[in-house]
Amino acid sequence: MARPFPSTRDRIRRFDACAESGFDHLRGIPPADRLFYAASELGDFSLAWVILGCLRGLRSHHGERAAVRLGGALVAESIMVNAVIKSVFRRSRPPWDVHRPLGLRRPLTSSFPSGHATSSFTAAVLLSEDDPLWPLYWGVAAVIAGSRVYVKIHHASDVAAGVAVGVAMGLAIRRLVPLGRALPLTARG
């Protein structure tokens, strides 16, 4: 007997398949391959966010405080996602043995949620506060997060969950450590 409503797992599978199919139209186009593979690499160990945070820190004292807050937040995010959340869910990643035109580091952690998406959206929320470059941060976050589906290292639902967790973490950190409050590691001058 058929169920009248699809299960949550069925909906997630359909969502993942639809997103995967959407990226299939771009895969194999050299500029798209270069963009998404580079974005995926820059998301490793939050490298893009460390660079953008340092650049913001160089712009002003207010930016320095934002950069220090970001550094602490990325450490906390990494521990929370990689050591806690992923160990609870232990979702399998998409198959590794698929064609990839460019090389990538093979992740050791489970798939859910995407750490690239979580760190990217945590960083975008934090760096965009009181910064006219906020569209840049959100755009970079979207490209890095999407790149994980493009390069077939995450399911789209992993990325969607990572975006939600990242935004929530970023907003919580903004509330707990507002830019107006002195940060313990900033130099006074």
Side-chain angles (χ1 to χ4, degrees):
M1 175 181 255
R3 290 179 291 196
F5 298 104
S7 71
T8 301
R9 283 186 183 189
D10 290 338
R11 288 185 199 133
I12 291 170
R13 278 191 208 104
R14 280 201 306 252
F15 173 75
D16 290 343
C18 183
E20 185 70 26
S21 172
F23 277 113
D24 280 343
H25 299 292
L26 291 174
R27 288 187 184 107
I29 299 172
D33 286 348
R34 285 192 295 276
L35 170 69
F36 287 112
Y37 277 80
S40 195
E41 289 285 343
L42 282 170
D44 279 348
F45 309 108
S46 299
L47 179 61
W49 302 110
V50 170
I51 292 168
L52 289 171
C54 287
L55 291 174
R56 178 154 185 209
L58 293 172
R59 291 181 16 224
S60 68
H61 180 67
H62 189 69
E64 178 184 319
R65 294 159 55 104
V68 171
R69 178 179 72 175
L70 175 65
L74 289 175
V75 169
E77 175 275 330
S78 181
I79 292 168
M80 176 65 73
V81 170
N82 293 305
V84 178
I85 299 173
K86 286 185 178 225
S87 66
V88 169
F89 287 96
R90 297 181 184 199
R91 184 178 191 193
S92 296
R93 290 183 181 272
W96 182 256
D97 298 331
V98 296
H99 172 71
R100 291 187 177 87
L102 303 169
L104 288 170
R105 179 185 67 82
R106 186 174 186 165
L108 300 175
T109 59
S110 67
S111 192
F112 184 87
S114 165
H116 279 58
T118 306
S119 64
S120 291
F121 280 86
T122 299
V125 167
L126 295 175
L127 288 176
S128 66
E129 185 177 9
D130 297 332
D131 192 327
L133 296 177
W134 67 266
L136 168 73
Y137 304 130
W138 288 92
V140 170
V143 171
I144 289 174
S147 77
R148 301 307 273 177
V149 177
Y150 184 92
V151 301
K152 298 184 178 191
I153 287 183
H154 277 289
H155 306 283
S157 51
D158 301 332
V159 171
V163 169
V165 170
V167 168
M169 288 182 82
L171 291 172
I173 293 165
R174 275 172 66 160
R175 185 170 293 182
L176 291 170
V177 187
L179 283 181
R181 185 187 308 165
L183 298 172
L185 298 176
T186 59
R188 304 247 180 223

